[in-house]
Amino acid sequence: MTNYEENIEVQGARVHNLKNIDVTIPREKLVVITGLSGSGKSSLAFDTIYAEGQRRYIETFSAYARQFLGGLERPDVDKIDGLSPVIAIEQKTTSKSPRSTVGTITEIYDFLRLLFARASDAYSYNSGEKMVSYSDEQIKELILQDFSGKRVNILAPIIRSRKGHYRELFENIGKQGFLKVRVDGEILDIEKGMRVDRYKTHDIEIVIDRLVINESVDNDKRLTETIKTAMYHGDDVMMVIDQDAPKEARYFSRNLMCPSSGISYPNPEPNTFSFNSPKGMCPHCNGLGTLHEVNESKVIPDEKATIKGGGIAPLGEFKKSWIFKQLEIIAERYEFKLSDQIKDIPKEALQVILHGGNEKFSVVSKTLGVTRDYKIDFEGIVSFIKNQYEDSDSSSIKRWAKNYMDKVNCSVCDGSRLRKESLYFKVNGKNIAELANMDVVELANWFDNLMDELSEKQKAIASEVVKEIKARLRFLLDVGLNYLSLNRSSKSLSGGEAQRIRLATQIGSQLVGVLYILDEPSIGLHQRDNEKLINSLESLRDIGNSVIVVEHDKDMIERADHVIDIGPHAGRHGGKIISEGSPKELLTHQTLTAAYLNGTKEIAVPKKRREGNGEKLILKGASGNNLKNVSVEFPLGKMIGVTGVSGSGKSTLINETLYPILNAHFFNAVKKPMPYKSIKGLEHIDKVIDINQSPIGRTPRSNPATYTGVFSEIRSLYAKTPEAMIRGYKPGRFSFNVKGGRCETCQGGGLRVIEMNFLPDVYVECETCQGKRFNRETLEIRYKGKSIADVLDMTMNEAVSFFEHIPKIHRKLKTIKDVGLGYITLGQQSTTLSGGEAQRIKLATELSKRDTGNTFYILDEPTTGLHFEDIRVLMEVLNKLVNKGNTIVVIEHNMDVIKMADYIIDIGYEGGKGGGQVVVTGTPEEVAKHKKSHTARFLKKELS
């Protein structure tokens, strides 16, 4: 075997901060790349190896196709050998469309649709009977058998219970050569100008033929023709009526049809069960399952108020306007005053005010003895709000309307998203919506028992599809996602969940010889499920794939076949390979990673836990998603860890319930919390700060200085220098985003794009400003001898000492340095920051805001993308905040953080329906003693 068939050889990689490194990665092995956050792990894995794999794939297309794809930049690397097709599974969260669900991403729902289209039984929604369908030959046999020797009429139904006069229809039928029709059960001759009462509902059928049924050859031929004609006109449905008993009609259909009521369904196809196709979606909610409906109790919050005093919330207090004029006319008509309490206003008057009305009336004036005519033409407040929400182009008007609306399940499909007919196709007694509502464990069990319940014909049709579905469900269980259901919207998934779903989909495709690159798949995963994840990655490797994982997780590093450690530090001080080999060899090296793995360095458990300030925040009766009426106490002045297996309800409790309540209380935010009963203790805190996982600005014009807001302060400082004031420069002069001070050749980008047809675009340094982004006049303004461009090139460490006498700037920069980002430059493009770095810049921005000593911080997995050493630095920053009296709530799976907490709230016991309860609360030592908590098991090991 040649060398590059066994290894992937990378030579001379210089992307971002990589220092011209050579690395050999064994193929068909599980390889972990680790190192400090920002040391260059993702630069090697994604920006070098994956980018080159992608580029080579696109090179195989014709030049014509490539011009539409836009070329990919060649990574800055001398050569890469032994590269196989590459698939990257990154943490980019999935589609934000409300139509995307777990079922559609994993394609399990597509297989379910196929199963239902081919192997389901249809039932009538009128009578509940099983639907039947016949071929033309079967229909003929049935007629010969059941109507032998009788005189019958054969009819084609064309109108079913609809209003109208149908004059043109009768004319058309006559033109086609038919002589008789049956209208509402009575057979009539077609006459010129014939019509029916347009305000009544009618059933109309064409009389195709009248004949005596017998076995003769002529009759047989005539009957065949008649059936064909009747089916053509009746849209695949026909009726047979015995002339002696004209009231009883027998229906026959090529489609599925209810034998007693005659309703028919079109034959099912996969689209019939898709909520994204007009054939399957519920027509009322367009397949979304939810609607925004106006809530009348929000329109009239207090029935004791008066209309004049602002009792109708959207209208506010009385003013001279057309709408109040209309209300006065309604008051005149229904004999009440606008100053009456709303509860005393007649019901029918309220009906008109809310839902609109249209009438004329006269009022006799008692004093003048004259009659005055009035006209009410009022749209109704509820209808007005609804129309504004649905039709307005302005987002602020939509937001205004939304204040008076609730998101409710669609009343027609009851949240199932599908039209009525689709829900009456069943397999083993269940319709497709019921299956999509089950969580993965339940669904897998249902499929395990399915084959025994099917008929022989169904088994033959379904066996392949069921095998596919079972395999895909198994993979979802293998990556620890047993608590999800197929109809869970993909925008409600966390980054780690979305990544593991994509991993399950990839494992399901059973490709061989592929190079998979994963970015921290263990995020958001409880230690208990880590085992399952590692097994999944090993099974990918065992079928003949190479797997590269960028990861900080101890278990993952220890189970790898080969580990590459990049360092020694982060940013410009990293980008070298400091050790590589098997995990055992790694332990013997003198590196930070090795020190934490072999125990020479560790994040120490605190000697004693903080007592807090004695006050509590008490949340009662939280019942959103899977929470089971949970009540929780948050002791203030402590670091609180919220733990529990994935899907147990941690995010629902903190991000969806607690944070929106606090945010609405302190900052009048509009996001509605999930249902809860009460909250006490808000007076003990005075603001809330939430630091979540959403990325910071992802354009090359965004950088740490602009994101944290420190650049505005620096620009103001430069505008106040004597030279700038003489020249009349304002802070805007020092921005590279607006005209005036920036270099106009590159428009402040510092780079110019040269478009190459058929080749990737080339970025070159702007020749006018040499990449400095500003024009010459702006750069002449100096502070302490440095121009604004020099400041953007400083690292945080340099800038902290440079600006130490300017408190506003110094405080923000110091915070960024404290969270361990001293090595990044102020002007570094946000697109080149690693996930862990972006997360910490966001953290630093929030932490640099003045804390009051009563601030409530909420952090959602702050250790994302962080190495053991980075976590130690982060915990020092957080501890400082808590020592000042603030409260920090951390949702976390990382044991190093959990063991540092003063108080733990463990939610479980399982994920999904098996979760949503508080398992145990207390200090880490108390929690570790709990017998049933999954967190306790792992915490015990850490504390011992």
Side-chain angles (χ1 to χ4, degrees):
M1 233 181 171
T2 52
N3 192 26
Y4 63 78
E5 284 177 11
E6 293 172 13
N7 297 318
I8 299 166
E9 301 275 353
V10 180
Q11 291 179 8
R14 294 175 293 278
V15 177
H16 296 330
N17 64 341
L18 296 178
K19 305 277 192 299
N20 200 8
I21 60 174
D22 300 343
V23 59
T24 302
I25 299 172
R27 289 168 59 87
E28 296 184 18
K29 294 276 187 277
L30 175 57
V31 178
V32 169
I33 301 180
T34 186
L36 286 172
S37 167
S39 59
K41 305 180 299 297
S42 299
S43 301
L44 175 62
F46 289 96
D47 302 330
T48 308
I49 300 172
Y50 173 60
E52 179 63 10
Q54 270 293 66
R55 191 188 65 77
R56 288 186 192 178
Y57 169 59
I58 285 181
E59 290 284 280
T60 60
F61 293 171
S62 67
Y64 176 70
R66 288 208 303 275
Q67 71 183 13
F68 300 112
L69 290 168
L72 287 176
E73 239 181 299
R74 192 188 196 106
D76 189 1
V77 56
D78 294 339
K79 79 178 208 190
I80 301 183
D81 283 332
L83 197 56
S84 44
V86 191
I87 293 177
I89 303 179
E90 299 175 78
Q91 284 167 25
K92 296 203 172 63
T93 33
T94 41
S95 144
K96 290 278 178 259
S97 155
R99 296 191 175 278
S100 166
T101 64
V102 171
T104 58
I105 312 173
T106 53
E107 296 170 9
I108 296 175
Y109 193 74
D110 302 336
F111 284 109
L112 275 183
R113 286 173 22 214
L114 188 63
L115 174 70
F116 272 79
R118 301 286 176 261
S120 59
D121 298 320
Y123 294 87
S124 162
Y125 57 73
N126 268 357
S127 59
E129 294 172 70
K130 201 166 175 181
M131 306 282 265
V132 289
S133 70
Y134 301 113
S135 67
D136 291 5
E137 199 53 41
Q138 285 171 314
I139 294 173
K140 191 171 83 179
E141 294 298 322
L142 281 167
I143 292 176
L144 287 171
Q145 183 186 317
D146 296 354
F147 293 94
S148 181
K150 296 183 177 170
R151 282 188 72 79
V152 296
N153 293 343
I154 292 184
L155 316 173
I158 46 173
I159 298 293
R160 284 270 172 85
S161 313
R162 296 221 323 259
K163 293 178 181 177
H165 57 62
Y166 298 116
R167 201 185 71 205
E168 293 85 357
L169 179 74
F170 292 129
E171 224 168 81
N172 272 339
I173 295 171
K175 280 180 186 164
Q176 288 174 30
F178 296 107
L179 304 174
K180 291 182 182 293
V181 283
R182 178 171 180 258
V183 179
D184 301 333
E186 190 183 346
I187 292 179
L188 307 168
D189 290 324
I190 294 177
E191 295 161 359
K192 200 169 179 187
M194 177 175 182
R195 59 196 298 166
V196 289
D197 184 341
R198 67 182 294 181
Y199 296 112
K200 290 185 181 161
T201 54
H202 302 287
D203 293 319
I204 301 175
E205 296 94 24
I206 304 174
V207 179
I208 303 287
D209 202 354
R210 312 166 81 177
L211 70 167
V212 178
I213 303 296
N214 57 35
E215 301 275 344
S216 70
V217 178
D218 286 355
N219 197 328
D220 188 271
K221 203 169 163 192
R222 178 174 170 186
L223 187 56
T224 307
E225 286 299 314
T226 302
I227 290 172
K228 263 194 181 151
T229 314
M231 286 292 186
Y232 173 75
H233 289 284
D235 209 8
D236 287 347
V237 180
M238 58 174 273
M239 292 160 69
V240 179
I241 292 179
D242 183 348
Q243 288 186 7
D244 300 334
K247 289 280 178 257
E248 290 168 24
R250 273 280 296 277
Y251 288 91
F252 296 97
S253 170
R254 288 178 187 161
N255 291 340
L256 291 162
M257 181 199 71
C258 169
S260 58
S261 62
I263 55 166
S264 75
Y265 299 165
N267 283 326
E269 44 187 286
N271 272 358
T272 311
F273 305 99
S274 164
F275 44 79
N276 294 332
S277 149
K279 285 191 173 164
M281 65 171 63
C282 160
H284 187 57
C285 63
N286 287 335
L288 290 175
T290 54
L291 290 165
H292 280 92
E293 293 286 350
V294 177
N295 178 345
E296 291 185 10
S297 64
K298 286 184 178 176
V299 175
I300 303 176
D302 178 12
E303 293 211 318
K304 290 184 180 153
T306 65
I307 294 182
K308 212 164 193 170
I312 298 179
L315 301 184
E317 293 192 1
F318 182 82
K319 44 193 163 302
K320 287 209 161 149
S321 65
W322 176 86
I323 207 157
F324 278 102
K325 187 85 187 132
Q326 283 289 327
L327 291 178
E328 284 174 335
I329 294 172
I330 296 171
E332 191 113 339
R333 163 76 179 82
Y334 290 100
E335 298 176 353
F336 67 91
K337 294 191 182 73
L338 296 189
S339 52
D340 293 352
Q341 288 190 348
I342 293 178
K343 61 179 178 27
D344 302 332
I345 294 175
K347 287 271 181 295
E348 51 273 30
L350 265 184
Q351 193 61 21
V352 174
I353 291 172
L354 292 175
H355 299 284
N358 222 334
E359 60 171 317
K360 288 182 176 160
F361 65 97
S362 315
V363 176
V364 180
S365 166
K366 287 174 184 159
T367 48
L368 299 173
V370 235
T371 305
R372 299 183 70 173
D373 290 336
Y374 287 107
K375 179 170 185 270
I376 297 176
D377 184 3
F378 192 57
E379 174 180 20
I381 288 162
V382 168
S383 324
F384 176 74
I385 293 173
K386 204 164 180 181
N387 292 341
Q388 289 300 324
Y389 180 73
E390 284 165 7
D391 306 330
S392 171
D393 296 331
S394 149
S395 57
S396 58
I397 286 183
K398 280 195 159 154
R399 234 189 356 255
W400 169 82
K402 223 170 167 177
N403 288 336
Y404 303 106
M405 302 176 100
D406 286 341
K407 198 172 185 180
V408 293
N409 269 358
C410 165
S411 54
V412 175
C413 66
D414 199 21
S416 71
R417 301 170 154 222
L418 296 168
R419 58 174 61 233
K420 186 156 77 173
E421 293 85 340
S422 308
L423 296 175
Y424 280 85
F425 287 88
K426 298 189 178 178
V427 172
N428 190 16
K430 296 270 185 206
N431 66 32
I432 193 164
E434 290 171 317
L435 295 187
N437 272 330
M438 293 180 179
D439 54 37
V440 174
V441 184
E442 239 181 305
L443 192 58
N445 291 340
W446 188 83
F447 271 105
D448 286 340
N449 307 324
L450 176 65
M451 291 312 262
D452 308 338
E453 307 287 337
L454 298 180
S455 66
E456 286 310 313
K457 182 183 166 199
Q458 282 176 318
K459 273 184 194 165
I461 298 170
S463 63
E464 279 302 309
V465 184
V466 171
K467 200 167 102 191
E468 271 296 333
I469 293 175
K470 278 162 82 168
R472 281 166 194 260
L473 290 172
R474 176 95 284 123
F475 298 132
L476 279 177
L477 292 172
D478 288 347
V479 292
L481 293 173
N482 45 2
Y483 54 90
L484 293 179
S485 61
L486 295 187
N487 63 359
R488 167 90 177 257
S489 165
S490 63
K491 64 179 183 186
S492 69
L493 297 171
S494 70
E497 284 171 338
Q499 191 177 3
R500 291 197 293 282
I501 284 180
R502 292 186 42 213
L503 177 64
T505 313
Q506 288 302 336
I507 300 173
S509 62
Q510 294 286 315
L511 290 170
V512 175
V514 175
L515 171 58
Y516 287 101
I517 303 183
L518 290 96
D519 188 6
E520 283 206 78
S522 66
I523 289 176
L525 196 58
H526 193 270
Q527 299 300 107
R528 179 194 69 160
D529 300 324
N530 227 352
E531 188 70 20
K532 289 181 184 170
L533 175 70
I534 298 173
N535 291 341
S536 301
L537 295 176
E538 287 177 341
S539 68
L540 260 186
R541 173 199 67 191
D542 296 341
I543 59 175
N545 296 302
S546 314
V547 183
I548 296 180
V549 189
V550 175
E551 188 54 279
H552 299 289
D553 181 72
K554 205 168 177 175
D555 301 340
M556 184 83 79
I557 296 173
E558 285 167 357
R559 291 274 289 274
D561 302 317
H562 187 84
V563 182
I564 297 171
D565 191 2
I566 298 184
H569 299 293
R572 42 177 85 171
H573 310 299
K576 296 181 182 144
I577 290 191
I578 49 175
S579 79
E580 54 181 319
S582 70
K584 278 190 181 143
E585 291 164 29
L586 183 76
L587 294 179
T588 58
H589 297 158
Q590 299 296 310
T591 67
L592 267 174
T593 309
Y596 278 99
L597 288 177
N598 62 26
T600 46
K601 278 192 92 157
E602 61 166 2
I603 296 175
V605 178
K607 300 271 187 294
K608 66 186 228 317
R609 308 286 174 188
R610 279 173 285 246
E611 293 298 316
N613 59 18
E615 304 296 353
K616 286 180 182 158
L617 191 63
I618 303 170
L619 175 65
K620 287 199 170 157
S623 55
N625 291 343
N626 64 343
L627 293 180
K628 301 188 173 64
N629 199 3
V630 168
S631 297
V632 191
E633 293 188 353
F634 297 92
L636 301 177
K638 291 188 180 186
M639 186 183 298
I640 304 170
V642 179
T643 61
V645 296
S646 311
S648 57
K650 304 182 296 297
S651 297
T652 304
L653 177 67
I654 306 298
N655 295 338
E656 305 290 324
T657 312
L658 180 65
Y659 174 61
I661 296 172
L662 299 179
N663 207 12
H665 177 76
F666 293 116
F667 306 115
N668 299 327
V670 288
K671 187 178 172 188
K672 211 177 131 202
M674 293 261 181
Y676 69 100
K677 286 187 186 139
S678 69
I679 185 154
K680 283 189 191 142
L682 289 175
E683 64 279 5
H684 304 308
I685 50 179
D686 50 21
K687 69 175 178 178
V688 62
I689 290 177
D690 176 50
I691 303 166
N692 57 20
Q693 289 183 12
S694 58
I696 68 174
R698 285 296 183 191
T699 74
R701 290 189 177 274
S702 158
N703 58 42
T706 55
Y707 183 80
T708 53
V710 73
F711 197 47
S712 311
E713 302 291 349
I714 294 174
R715 287 185 358 229
S716 304
L717 176 68
Y718 268 80
K720 285 179 188 147
T721 55
E723 181 65 22
M725 291 173 83
I726 292 167
R727 296 190 187 187
Y729 290 169
K730 299 275 179 290
R733 177 83 199 192
F734 300 97
S735 162
F736 49 77
N737 290 330
V738 294
K739 286 184 178 173
R742 70 178 182 187
C743 162
E744 281 307 325
T745 316
C746 59
Q747 297 191 326
L751 298 170
R752 280 188 53 221
V753 182
I754 295 180
E755 287 185 14
M756 314 276 278
N757 285 346
F758 303 128
L759 284 172
D761 295 342
V762 177
Y763 288 92
V764 294
E765 195 175 75
C766 167
E767 65 278 7
T768 315
C769 64
Q770 269 89 42
K772 292 209 163 70
R773 298 178 152 210
F774 295 95
N775 59 26
R776 196 181 45 127
E777 293 78 20
T778 310
L779 295 175
E780 285 168 358
I781 306 294
R782 294 183 178 265
Y783 169 76
K784 287 195 185 174
K786 301 274 187 197
S787 72
I788 188 93
D790 297 333
V791 169
L792 285 175
D793 279 340
M794 286 181 186
T795 64
M796 294 293 167
N797 290 338
E798 293 162 8
V800 167
S801 50
F802 185 76
F803 289 112
E804 67 184 328
H805 301 305
I806 318 283
K808 264 186 173 172
I809 299 175
H810 183 257
R811 191 177 79 241
K812 286 187 177 170
L813 296 176
K814 177 98 171 62
T815 321
I816 298 177
K817 183 183 164 182
D818 289 347
V819 293
L821 292 179
Y823 56 87
I824 62 173
T825 62
L826 270 77
Q828 183 174 343
Q829 297 177 356
S830 290
T831 45
T832 63
L833 293 170
S834 72
E837 288 170 337
Q839 176 95 340
R840 280 181 294 165
I841 284 200
K842 198 165 179 181
L843 190 68
T845 308
E846 297 297 349
L847 299 185
S848 67
K849 292 177 181 167
R850 283 269 161 77
D851 65 279
T852 50
N854 290 327
T855 306
F856 196 89
Y857 291 91
I858 295 176
L859 286 82
D860 189 358
E861 290 200 55
T863 57
T864 304
L866 302 192
H867 184 268
F868 309 110
E869 177 66 12
D870 300 319
I871 294 175
R872 186 185 64 75
V873 174
L874 173 73
M875 293 314 289
E876 281 178 8
V877 177
L878 296 183
N879 277 324
K880 273 185 200 161
L881 279 172
V882 182
N883 290 339
K884 288 183 184 167
N886 301 300
T887 309
I888 294 185
V889 171
V890 189
I891 302 176
E892 193 51 90
H893 294 289
N894 188 305
M895 284 297 151
D896 287 326
V897 176
I898 296 170
K899 71 183 184 191
M900 302 275 285
D902 304 310
Y903 187 82
I904 292 178
I905 298 168
D906 189 38
I907 298 179
Y909 291 75
E910 299 298 325
K913 289 176 186 162
Q917 308 169 45
V918 174
V919 178
V920 56
T921 61
T923 63
E925 287 74 13
E926 290 162 11
V927 170
K929 292 179 188 145
H930 195 272
K931 296 279 184 288
K932 287 187 180 168
S933 158
H934 292 298
T935 310
R937 267 206 334 263
F938 296 96
L939 191 55
K940 210 179 215 158
K941 282 186 207 159
E942 286 290 329
L943 295 174
S944 58

